Amino acid sequence: MVYQLLALDIDGTILRSNHKIDKETKEAISYVREKGVYVTLTTSRNFASAKKIARAVKLDDVMLVTHSGAFIAEEVEKPIYEERISNEDVNKIVNILEEFDCHIRIIHERLAVGNRVKHNNYLSAKMTLGIGDPLFYPVNFVETLSEYLEKKDLSPPKIDAHFFNEEEREEARLMLEERIPSISVVRSTKCNFGIIPKGVSKAKGLRILGEKLGVPVDEMVVIGDADCDAEMIRQAGLGVAMGNASYELKRLADWVTRSNDQQGVSYMVKEVFRKQMRVQLKR
């Protein structure tokens, strides 16, 4: 099989546990691109954050699958695909989540708005959801999100939530799914769960990108580490689980590479692509 597209998750895949990127990973991405393979990032992160990572690995000129598949673009002004949570549903979601002790982050592609929480673990929640974001992505913190939304309409691709109590997290998830049928609640490595429009997924995002590029899913290599990567790994021509992935994800993958702290991406690239001749992608 000749593979034309390589899709990489970010957190737990190309990023080490210390959030750094190995030199070997950068070199592996360049190596694959020199063979004519289209390399993209598929992530639950917002577009601005994913774009920053893409620049770090010299993927400035590719379309990225971001917001868990709800926003696909090379430049923020020109998305090829976008799905949004309606303003009405945003208000419903916030009203439900404000019944619980949690940190809420409305993730728009251009900005984010989060609530301040009076909790000892609030700082860890902010860090989990990306406390460094303001360096390249405006983040506003407000006392009460529902009051903020009374003055400003927002229709984002995604909403993230971080809980401090496992029972409350599960109760909130069930309540959201029961009361708002037009959304999906997905687990995330960067927060307790993310809320996206119904039908949106990384797997669907890759199918849309593949149609745009003329690349079928069976000519894609996909690498991930989290449960939310399962569908796109299952549908790919070669689905690869990181060594740090869950047992369940490793079971359904075609191939298991080393962990993100053991240069898992570069090891996989050398093993899979070294014998592949250069391909000519029809854009």
Side-chain angles (χ1 to χ4, degrees):
M1 172 61 72
V2 175
Y3 298 110
Q4 297 195 68
L5 186 145
L6 171 62
L8 301 165
D9 175 48
I10 293 179
D11 296 282
T13 301
I14 66 171
L15 292 185
R16 294 171 58 94
S17 298
N18 62 4
H19 306 293
K20 304 294 184 182
I21 305 174
D22 283 326
K23 179 186 71 172
E24 290 80 4
T25 299
K26 296 178 181 180
E27 291 173 349
I29 290 171
S30 297
Y31 173 78
V32 175
R33 295 199 79 191
E34 287 170 5
K35 285 182 172 282
V37 176
Y38 195 95
V39 183
T40 186
L41 304 180
T42 59
T43 179
S44 60
R45 288 182 177 231
N46 63 69
F47 179 81
S49 178
K51 190 69 175 178
K52 181 181 180 182
I53 300 294
R55 291 193 183 103
V57 294
K58 298 183 180 179
L59 293 176
D60 305 71
D61 57 346
V62 303
M63 290 174 277
L64 308 173
V65 180
T66 66
H67 297 262
S68 297
F71 193 84
I72 306 172
E74 181 179 336
E75 299 297 337
V76 68
E77 299 86 3
K78 300 176 181 179
I80 66 162
Y81 175 79
E82 55 184 319
E83 285 283 346
R84 299 183 178 278
I85 304 170
S86 70
N87 178 250
E88 180 183 356
D89 282 346
V90 170
N91 283 278
K92 290 179 183 177
I93 292 164
V94 168
N95 287 330
I96 290 172
L97 291 177
E98 283 185 340
E99 296 180 22
F100 301 92
D101 183 19
C102 67
H103 178 50
I104 312 162
R105 188 78 65 91
I106 299 174
I107 309 291
H108 193 271
E109 71 272 16
R110 295 179 182 274
L111 56 90
V113 184
N115 64 321
R116 294 190 180 93
V117 178
K118 295 178 181 179
H119 197 287
N120 292 335
N121 291 328
Y122 177 48
L123 180 60
S124 67
K126 288 173 68 177
M127 291 179 70
T128 302
L129 294 176
I131 200 168
D133 287 356
L135 296 174
F136 55 93
Y137 180 69
V139 179
N140 299 322
F141 293 100
V142 298
E143 294 299 330
T144 309
L145 273 174
S146 55
E147 292 180 2
Y148 175 87
L149 292 171
E150 289 176 1
K151 303 173 185 177
K152 188 174 182 65
D153 291 342
L154 277 179
S155 184
K158 190 167 181 276
I159 296 175
D160 283 344
H162 183 97
F163 287 79
F164 308 103
N165 180 286
E166 200 167 317
E167 291 181 2
E168 285 200 348
R169 179 188 66 197
E170 185 63 14
E171 184 181 349
R173 182 186 67 80
L174 293 172
M175 195 178 293
L176 287 165
E177 291 178 338
E178 179 183 342
R179 296 185 185 179
I180 312 175
S182 55
I183 62 168
S184 294
V185 180
V186 295
R187 290 299 301 270
S188 172
T189 54
K190 283 185 66 65
C191 62
N192 286 163
F193 60 64
I195 302 161
I196 54 179
K198 194 81 170 179
V200 164
S201 67
K202 291 183 180 181
K204 181 181 177 182
L206 276 179
R207 293 195 296 271
I208 291 169
L209 178 59
E211 290 171 6
K212 178 75 173 178
L213 298 172
V215 178
V217 291
D218 61 0
E219 294 180 11
M220 297 181 184
V221 177
V222 176
I223 315 176
D225 73 301
D227 292 343
C228 60
D229 300 325
E231 186 185 353
M232 68 174 184
I233 285 175
R234 189 185 295 112
Q235 78 176 7
L238 181 66
V240 181
M242 296 295 291
N244 49 291
S246 67
Y247 173 73
E248 290 75 16
L249 193 69
K250 290 176 182 177
R251 280 190 64 187
L252 66 84
D254 302 304
W255 211 73
V256 178
T257 187
R258 297 172 181 171
S259 75
N260 59 327
D261 291 327
Q262 297 173 316
Q263 301 172 9
V265 170
S266 59
Y267 175 74
M268 183 284 306
V269 164
K270 291 173 185 175
E271 291 296 312
V272 174
F273 288 97
R274 60 178 173 171
K275 294 182 180 179
Q276 178 169 303
M277 301 294 288
R278 179 177 173 83
V279 297
Q280 184 64 47
L281 187 63
K282 296 178 180 178
R283 295 282 307 263

